[in-house]
Amino acid sequence: DAGVIQSPRHEVTEMGQEVTLRCKPISGHNSLFWYRQTMMRGLELLIYFNNNVPIDDSGMPEDRFSAKMPNASFSTLKIQPSEPRDSAVYFCASSFPQALQETQYFGPGTRLLVL
Amino acid sequence: DQQVKQNSPSLSVQEGRISILNCDYTNSMFDYFLWYKKYPAEGPTFLISISSIKDKNEDGRFTVFLNKSAKHLSLHIVPSQPGDSAVYFCAATLQGAQKLVFGQGTRLTINP
């Protein structure tokens, strides 16, 4: 059974360009999480959805970041315009709502480099 | 400000010995703690957890200890194996909440 799928796996772009990261959660999972990993801050939760509705976006760093979940099987994280400090690994995770915390399943991540 | 801190970016241990990874937290409201393991080019995977009503939880070679008064937890791996080489993340939350707060991670290397 497929796990969480993220695309692209790697993205290199220039400062000022728009970047769109994509995530397909595990089928049947109702909660979706976007995380960012950096050396300095580790894994940070950016935003999460329950049943396609954003619940908590307090981790989104700036207005340049936006996330959508148009349906239960797809979510996007968009950065516009991108800046070099956005370079990081971005993870998507999914789970059943009200599940034990350990049942968050992570995708392989998208490594983003903004030049 | 970092609510969950892993102050050792890296740790190197001989195969067969004990590995001890440490984690500190500042928010006394946290009552559920988890460890995740991450291999290169993969997402983190759940390893072990502990509720604040306990001070120890064991699963095979992995044991997590919680010291609430010190706001400190540690992960012990005995005996350490080469396959344990990975980045380990500590996380904290409120029981029943969906939001996890992670530390910076510690890279563990097991030397043969």
Side-chain angles (χ1 to χ4, degrees), chain B residues 2-7 22-35 50-55 64-74 90-94 101-104:
Chain B
Q2 200 82 4
Q3 293 190 71
V4 177
K5 296 180 182 178
Q6 295 175 255
N7 292 316
N22 294 303
C23 177
D24 298 295
Y25 60 96
T26 57
N27 188 343
S28 57
M29 298 295 291
F30 288 142
D31 58 4
Y32 196 74
F33 304 88
L34 307 92
W35 286 93
I50 188 167
S51 166
S52 61
I53 62 173
K54 295 184 175 181
D55 54 19
V64 56
F65 294 92
L66 176 62
N67 182 334
K68 289 186 290 294
S69 60
K71 296 193 186 69
H72 177 83
L73 63 156
S74 60
C90 167
T93 187
L94 300 175
V101 180
F102 283 88
Q104 304 97 314

Side-chain angles (χ1 to χ4, degrees), chain A residues 15 36 38 61-62 64-65 82-88 90 114:
Chain A
M15 182 174 64
R36 177 171 69 175
T38 60
E62 301 170 33
R64 298 185 296 108
F65 286 70
S82 58
E83 296 182 3
R85 60 190 165 127
D86 302 330
S87 298
Y90 291 81
V114 183

Side-chain angles (χ1 to χ4, degrees), chain B residues 11-20 61 77-85 108-112:
Chain B
L11 177 67
S12 187
V13 174
Q14 201 77 16
E15 182 179 358
R17 300 288 188 113
I18 182 171
S19 295
I20 300 176
R61 296 185 298 113
I77 306 174
V78 182
S80 300
Q81 299 175 353
D84 297 329
S85 295
L108 175 66
T109 302
I110 306 301
N111 302 307

Side-chain angles (χ1 to χ4, degrees), chain A residues 10 14-15 23 36 40 46 49 53 58 70 72 77 79-81 85 94 98 113:
Chain A
H10 302 273
E14 292 187 343
M15 182 174 64
C23 176
R36 177 171 69 175
M40 289 299 294
L46 301 177
F49 298 81
V53 176
S58 60
L77 178 68
I79 309 172
Q80 165 64 17
R85 60 190 165 127
S94 70
Q98 281 81 51
L113 178 60

